[in-house]
Each structure stands twice: as structure tokens, then as C-alpha cells.
Amino acid sequence: MAETTQTGTTVADVMAELGELEDPKSRAVNEKHGDDHGVNLSKLRALAKRLKTQQELARALWETDDTAAKLLAILICRPKAFERDELDTMLRQARTPKVHDWLVNYVVKKNPHAEELRVAWSADPDPVVASAGWALTTERVAKKPDGLDLAGLLDIIEAEMKDAPDRLQWAMNHCLAQIGIEHAEHRARAIDIGERLGVLEDYPTPPNCTSPFAPIWITEMVRRQHDK
């Protein structure tokens, strides 16, 4: 897609508009999830749609270190335009959960360096960085499993998930469930690991939502696939 340049749009203009969108109720909700901003995400997306793709503005907004500005930067950037080291630096600067998740899902997954970063991040000593590696691994488990050592991944999950910090544990658990859902030959073992470790077994799950507890998650998603 060709980059659209909106003449005259400055970082100051955008920051002023984000300030006008600040809402105390939205901030209270966001802060419960570890996100320090007060902008309604639907309004943020509407602003991004109006600004269209602007890579240099996106870079400048990211540099403000404001969480809402970082989220907007992710929405208006060109994912394939970032270099590997640039994305590595950005991930380490993405310390709120929403910025981290959007950066991985909306930018890194679409970037040609995604596989290289997946391997590097998975082995990183920082558990938040490692969780991004596991998120990219989960994507490969679902879409491009060829070349992945699924049994080896289950070995790591079995050994390390129980005591992993929260963000890393969540990402490893998602990978465990994805292996069980997508790969019938590993399903019984994935369910067994989930049952023995008990990770997220007591996670509060709203009605009509699937529990993140891997044995329940795997069983439910496989049932839905069979019902199609």
C-alpha cells in the first residue's frame, strides 16, 4: 500500500487530540489491565483511520513514550518498514500489555524479520520479551508448523510453564493449547501437561467464554471444529 502523507499533521497536533480524547472512565478500566492511558480504543482507531498510514509520524509518536501515542503509532505505521533491531528496541520499550500485544500482532507478525525475532526473543532472559517469542511461536504452530519441533516445545512448556512469570506463563499456555488444538498427534500429551500443571485452572471465565485452562480450551475448540 502506498504511504499516505497528511500534510501539516504534527506530533503536537496529534498529542493535543489524544489529550482531548482522554476519559477518566476509560483510564480506570485500562489501568486495571496495566495500561496507563485514558483513550477509548474505538476512538483511537477512528483517529488512526483518519490519519491513514504515516510511517514517519508513527515513529515520532512512538518516541513520545506516551502509551496512547504508541498505540496510535502502531495503527498508522507500515509494519514491513521496520528493521530487525528497531523492532527489538521497540518491544523492549513496550512495557504496557496493550502496546506489547499490538506491536507483536499488528507489526512484528507482518514484518519480514518475524521468524528471526521469534527465535531470539524466545531465548531472551527478560520474561516479557520471551513472551513475545512464544506469541510468535503460537502463530507458527497454527499457520506454519513445518520445521517446528512440537515435541520439544512441549518439553519446555512442561518444565518451565508452572513457575514462569505471568505474561510468559500466559504465552506458553496459549502455545500449549494451540499445539493440542491443531495437532492431533500431540493432543493427548498437551492435555495431560495442562492437567498436571494446573496453570490457569481457576482463572475466572465469564459465561459464554472458553476457559484459558488448556485441557478445557483444547477440548472445546476441537469440538467446535468437528461440529462445523
Side-chain angles (χ1 to χ4, degrees):
M1 184 177 70
E3 181 162 321
T4 305
T5 304
Q6 300 285 99
T7 54
T9 304
T10 67
V11 172
D13 294 335
V14 176
M15 296 306 294
E17 189 154 0
L18 288 173
E20 290 170 8
L21 292 174
E22 175 75 24
D23 173 56
K25 289 181 181 176
S26 292
R27 179 171 284 276
V29 171
N30 292 333
E31 285 182 346
K32 285 182 182 176
H33 299 105
D35 295 311
D36 57 347
H37 74 95
V39 180
N40 175 284
L41 294 180
S42 295
K43 292 180 179 178
L44 190 76
R45 289 180 186 278
L47 175 56
K49 190 173 181 181
R50 200 175 80 237
L51 290 171
K52 299 187 172 69
T53 303
Q54 297 192 62
Q55 181 68 6
E56 293 315 310
L57 179 60
R59 281 195 168 102
L61 287 170
W62 184 273
E63 292 300 322
T64 65
D65 207 31
D66 176 88
T67 294
K70 275 182 154 66
L71 291 171
L72 183 61
I74 290 167
L75 294 176
I76 67 169
C77 76
R78 289 173 55 229
K80 293 179 181 177
F82 293 103
E83 296 300 325
R84 178 204 182 281
D85 290 350
E86 195 174 9
L87 288 174
D88 183 72
T89 298
M90 290 169 73
L91 186 82
R92 294 171 197 279
Q93 294 169 340
R95 281 303 168 193
T96 67
K98 185 67 72 178
V99 172
H100 176 100
D101 291 344
W102 279 21
L103 182 66
V104 172
N105 287 299
Y106 297 169
V107 182
V108 180
K109 285 181 180 178
K110 299 174 182 177
N111 183 276
H113 301 291
E115 177 61 15
E116 193 182 343
L117 289 167
R118 180 189 76 81
V119 174
W121 287 345
S122 295
D124 198 278
D126 182 330
V128 177
V129 175
S131 74
W134 279 93
L136 294 172
T137 299
T138 301
E139 173 92 348
R140 268 204 64 188
V141 166
K143 295 183 177 177
K144 296 180 184 174
D146 289 352
L148 281 181
D149 178 6
L150 297 177
L153 288 172
L154 290 175
D155 289 343
I156 296 169
I157 291 167
E158 188 171 21
E160 299 178 13
M161 182 171 74
K162 180 82 172 176
D163 298 319
D166 288 351
R167 299 269 290 280
L168 179 55
Q169 184 184 70
W170 186 272
M172 294 175 91
N173 182 72
H174 190 179
C175 190
L176 173 66
Q178 204 70 52
I179 291 171
I181 293 163
E182 302 288 345
H183 302 278
E185 68 275 22
H186 296 286
R187 188 168 297 146
R189 186 183 173 202
I191 290 172
D192 178 63
I193 289 170
E195 287 174 342
R196 281 188 290 106
L197 297 185
V199 169
L200 300 176
E201 187 171 14
D202 300 320
Y203 191 84
T205 306
N208 302 318
C209 292
T210 303
S211 169
F213 179 49
I216 294 175
W217 190 355
I218 293 166
T219 303
E220 172 61 17
M221 297 310 291
V222 171
R223 182 192 65 76
R224 289 185 196 177
Q225 288 173 358
H226 287 166
D227 287 350
K228 282 183 179 176

